[in-house]
Amino acid sequence: DKIILFKNNVEISNIAQFALNNFPRLLQWNQMPIQSQIIMITDASLEGYGIIFIKQKNIITFKGKWQTFIDNMPLLEAKTFSLAVCLSIKHNINICGATWFTDSLTVLSAIDKGHSTTPDINLAIRYYNEFSIEGRFIRSQFNPADPLSRDKEIFGCDWLISMGFLCAPTIA
């Protein structure tokens, strides 16, 4: 099996072989298997966003900068999630039943509550429910999408170390 890594839909290398081969061990160790066929990881910063899709042995990443300055991290995190959903549709990535990792407890709490006073967060809630996504919390320091949101690369030692994020607890 060849592992294909993508950066903005362009094949770049084979560097995550170790991490992907070790997913089952990480999940077994934590006794918390991920049932979905696809994993979606998002992060936002004041500068931009980072999105990772992992399906089978393919990794697809997206990153970008915000067009306007917004000083509201939960809003940016919700916008990043909604953008990830839109990108999945645009690039024919089936995210139905996906497991989504985020470091925003505020957005996960709003989703759990089922509504928000903020339209962008309500859109994220709608997408979350429409696509039957399971949300899980990941600590910021272990979020592999974090460097992308700061216009940096994720591949290399940091990427392999951060794969421990799969052991993050579920947020109902």
Side-chain angles (χ1 to χ4, degrees):
D1 283 350
K2 180 181 179 194
I3 296 175
I4 303 170
L5 299 181
F6 291 90
K7 177 181 174 195
N8 298 327
N9 289 336
V10 177
E11 183 177 339
I12 58 170
S13 72
N14 218 11
I15 208 163
Q17 179 79 46
F18 174 81
L20 290 173
N21 286 344
N22 284 285
F23 278 179
R25 272 180 266 168
L26 286 169
L27 296 173
Q28 185 179 25
W29 172 80
N30 196 49
Q31 296 182 349
M32 217 171 97
I34 292 176
Q35 301 297 326
S36 61
Q37 296 296 311
I38 187 158
I39 296 169
M40 184 169 68
I41 309 156
T42 62
D43 188 60
S45 70
L46 294 176
E47 297 88 39
Y49 60 87
I51 299 166
I52 301 172
F53 295 101
I54 303 172
K55 181 171 179 153
Q56 295 168 348
K57 294 187 176 185
N58 294 318
I59 299 174
I60 304 167
T61 67
F62 295 92
K63 67 180 179 178
K65 296 186 180 218
W66 301 116
Q67 299 296 319
T68 57
F69 179 76
I70 300 173
D71 190 16
N72 180 328
M73 285 310 299
L75 178 61
L76 293 173
E77 295 282 0
K79 282 180 170 287
T80 300
F81 172 75
S82 296
L83 177 60
V85 171
C86 293
L87 285 168
S88 75
I89 294 166
K90 179 179 179 182
H91 295 282
N92 296 316
I93 302 167
N94 183 356
I95 60 165
C96 288
T99 300
W100 166 53
F101 290 90
T102 179
D103 56 15
S104 177
L105 284 172
T106 304
V107 175
L108 286 171
S109 295
I111 288 171
D112 187 45
K113 192 167 62 170
H115 62 85
S116 170
T117 57
T118 308
D120 286 308
I121 294 178
N122 280 328
L123 178 62
I125 293 167
R126 191 181 101 214
Y127 285 154
Y128 183 89
N129 292 323
E130 271 182 34
F131 289 93
S132 301
I133 292 172
E134 175 195 1
R136 293 190 185 188
F137 177 74
I138 175 175
R139 291 180 185 264
S140 296
Q141 66 264 34
F142 299 117
N143 187 338
D146 187 79
L148 291 174
S149 71
R150 288 159 177 74
D151 199 28
K152 296 178 182 167
E153 299 305 316
I154 61 168
F155 301 105
C157 292
D158 290 343
W159 166 257
L160 297 176
I161 291 167
S162 71
M163 294 316 293
F165 81 89
L166 290 173
C167 298
T170 301
I171 301 296

